[in-house]
Amino acid sequence: MKLRTIKEIKNLKGKRVLLRLGLNAAIKNGKVVGGYRIKQVIPTIKYLKDKGAKVVILGHIGRDGKQSLKPVVDYVNRRIKIGFVPNLYDKNLPAILENMKEGTAIMLQNLRSDSGEVGNSMKFAKYLASFGDAYVNDAFPVSHREHASIVLLPKLLPGYIGFQFECEIKHLSIAVKPPRPFLFILGGAKPSTKIPLMKKFLKEADNVFVGGALANNFFKEMKYETGKSLVEKGDFKLKPLLKNKKLSLPVDVVIGNKKASIKTPQDLTKNETIYDAGPETIKELECLIKKSKFVLWNGPLGNYEKGYDKGTIDLLKILAKSEARTIIGGGDTLAVAFNLKLHNKFTFVSTGGGAMLDFLADGKLPGIEALKKSNLCLG
């Protein structure tokens, strides 16, 4: 079933639209840092305003709901004017919404300030739904979550997708029938969540490179010393994957104890930690990229949060110059690309991390399935 887009809404003038956006961003000194995800949804806000809708923006920031969306509002206001309601349960909120003018927009406070959002509470969803005539999801990065504003609002209001969500589906669906040769690069951590994806693309891609902390579990399976490196506990049955000739792993790594140096994975000692991919690994990846017509990449090659981003940066620069069709995604990868001003050098940059991976795995997300079942129509 095809998802309905906002362009299919016949008459938006005067209608109140609940617009769920992916607004999670890094905040430093009270200001948004980067903001790629936010920039990508500005066209949807502008379209709804231009059509005369009364736009009520919903979103979250942080995990615990304690952060305010005020810095995000300030960031958006540098591009398009919106208002802000700093309390989800402001006693004046009904009156504020009732008095909204056509073609205006306001953002409500962090949805996660109410436990009903993450708890997927129907009571909370009904509270939000009471403020709208229609629901638009342009929050692809969080549409893999079964949260109230993602999966319950489409049951209560006519549901549609925004422009960025539509772009995500269009570009990520290329991986179903990609140009050949096809290289899949997977970094980051948590093999327990990414093994199914590895298995899928070892069948469908021509080459699969596994880096980041994910590679450490493979090194452990190969009986290499992994020292103090991040290795997820559990038996992930990696031996059959290691036998697959399409799979490649880092051939050298950046390690640290008292100072950083380069080693082959099999030469690690007990007191050392793997932090990044080494230069020879990047050279091998460059050779694979030159042979590829399509490259799909999710997740950094190193511990980005501790400053080990050279492998990721070098790979981004190589991909930016590649003639292959390139799609990248993942929060840390996206942040590095944005900081380097390379985000416009790729065929497509996904705003999703976990959502991108889940969609690639089987083409489904809780947010998508909820919208498919949303058969209400806006009158």
Side-chain angles (χ1 to χ4, degrees):
M1 180 181 173
K2 183 176 175 291
L3 296 178
R4 297 182 296 185
T5 73
I6 52 175
K7 285 197 171 182
E8 294 176 53
I9 306 176
K10 293 180 180 179
N11 183 16
L12 279 163
K13 191 174 178 64
K15 295 295 192 297
R16 203 148 53 201
V17 176
L18 296 187
L19 174 60
R20 179 55 160 108
L21 299 179
L23 301 173
N24 215 3
I27 307 294
K28 188 175 181 179
N29 299 323
K31 294 183 179 180
V32 170
V33 180
Y36 179 79
R37 284 175 174 168
I38 302 171
K39 280 186 177 180
Q40 295 308 103
V41 296
I42 297 293
T44 296
I45 301 173
K46 186 176 186 303
Y47 176 86
L48 291 170
K49 286 186 67 177
D50 288 348
K51 292 293 182 179
K54 300 175 182 180
V55 188
V56 182
I57 301 170
L58 309 175
H60 78 275
I61 190 165
R63 292 182 180 275
D64 58 12
K66 294 180 180 179
Q67 284 184 269
S68 173
L69 278 170
K70 181 62 166 61
V72 175
V73 174
D74 294 340
Y75 185 89
V76 173
N77 267 317
R78 297 204 295 269
R79 292 156 180 84
I80 188 169
K81 189 176 180 182
I82 65 170
F84 181 50
V85 179
N87 186 337
L88 268 180
Y89 292 96
D90 189 312
K91 63 180 181 180
N92 296 317
L93 182 54
I96 292 170
L97 295 173
E98 186 65 32
N99 294 321
M100 282 182 73
K101 294 180 180 179
E102 294 175 358
T104 61
I106 61 168
M107 185 181 295
L108 302 190
Q109 184 56 284
N110 190 344
L111 291 179
R112 291 189 181 179
S113 62
D114 189 302
S115 61
E117 167 65 359
V118 175
N120 201 19
S121 160
M122 180 57 81
K123 180 181 178 181
F124 181 59
K126 286 180 178 179
Y127 173 72
L128 295 175
S130 69
F131 300 137
D133 302 306
Y135 167 80
V136 174
N137 185 342
D138 211 12
F140 182 82
V142 289
S143 286
H144 61 314
R145 307 289 188 192
E146 292 193 15
H147 293 172
S149 66
I150 299 295
V151 299
L152 295 183
L153 282 180
K155 293 182 178 181
L156 303 170
L157 296 170
Y160 304 84
I161 57 170
F163 294 132
Q164 181 61 24
F165 206 119
E166 187 177 11
C167 279
E168 295 278 357
I169 294 172
K170 175 185 173 183
H171 285 93
L172 295 180
S173 294
I174 293 170
V176 177
K177 291 184 179 179
R180 300 284 183 177
F182 166 27
L183 168 62
F184 180 54
I185 302 171
L186 189 61
K190 298 181 182 177
S192 56
T193 63
K194 296 178 181 177
I195 294 292
L197 201 63
M198 289 183 213
K199 289 180 178 178
K200 174 182 177 177
F201 283 103
L202 279 169
K203 293 177 182 177
E204 299 182 6
D206 298 284
N207 293 287
V208 174
F209 173 84
V210 175
L214 291 176
N216 299 341
N217 275 81
F218 283 91
F219 296 148
K220 190 80 172 178
E221 187 68 40
M222 295 162 75
K223 308 300 181 185
Y224 293 173
E225 174 61 59
T226 53
K228 296 180 180 180
S229 308
L230 178 61
V231 178
E232 188 173 352
K233 292 181 179 180
D235 180 9
F236 303 113
K237 300 182 173 24
L238 300 179
K239 283 184 181 178
L241 303 187
L242 283 166
K243 293 177 183 178
N244 194 310
K245 293 181 180 180
K246 293 181 181 180
L247 177 72
S248 57
L249 299 166
V251 294
D252 64 341
V253 293
V254 176
I255 61 99
N257 40 28
K258 291 184 179 180
K259 62 178 182 179
S261 58
I262 309 297
K263 278 192 172 186
T264 57
Q266 57 265 43
D267 291 332
L268 213 69
T269 63
K270 289 184 178 180
N271 293 320
E272 293 174 328
T273 304
I274 297 173
Y275 284 117
D276 202 357
E280 291 303 315
T281 297
I282 300 302
K283 285 181 183 178
E284 289 204 358
L285 271 171
E286 186 172 17
C287 289
L288 283 174
I289 290 166
K290 285 179 179 178
K291 297 175 184 176
S292 303
K293 289 186 178 179
F294 177 54
V295 181
L296 179 63
W297 174 23
N298 181 288
L301 300 186
N303 192 326
Y304 166 76
E305 292 180 354
K306 290 191 175 181
Y308 290 89
D309 56 4
K310 189 178 187 315
T312 300
I313 288 172
D314 289 346
L315 182 54
L316 280 167
K317 289 179 177 178
I318 291 166
L319 276 176
K321 295 177 182 177
S322 171
E323 294 181 2
R325 184 177 291 186
T326 51
I327 295 178
I328 69 169
D332 290 342
T333 312
L334 192 155
V336 178
F338 195 83
N339 289 340
L340 293 172
K341 295 182 170 55
L342 290 176
H343 53 284
N344 292 323
K345 301 293 183 180
F346 308 101
T347 306
F348 183 67
V349 178
S350 175
T351 57
M356 174 185 176
L357 294 174
D358 286 1
F359 181 80
L360 289 171
D362 58 11
K364 296 179 180 180
L365 293 175
I368 290 177
E369 299 310 300
L371 284 164
K372 284 181 178 178
K373 296 172 184 176
S374 181
N375 53 14
L376 299 171
C377 294
L378 183 63

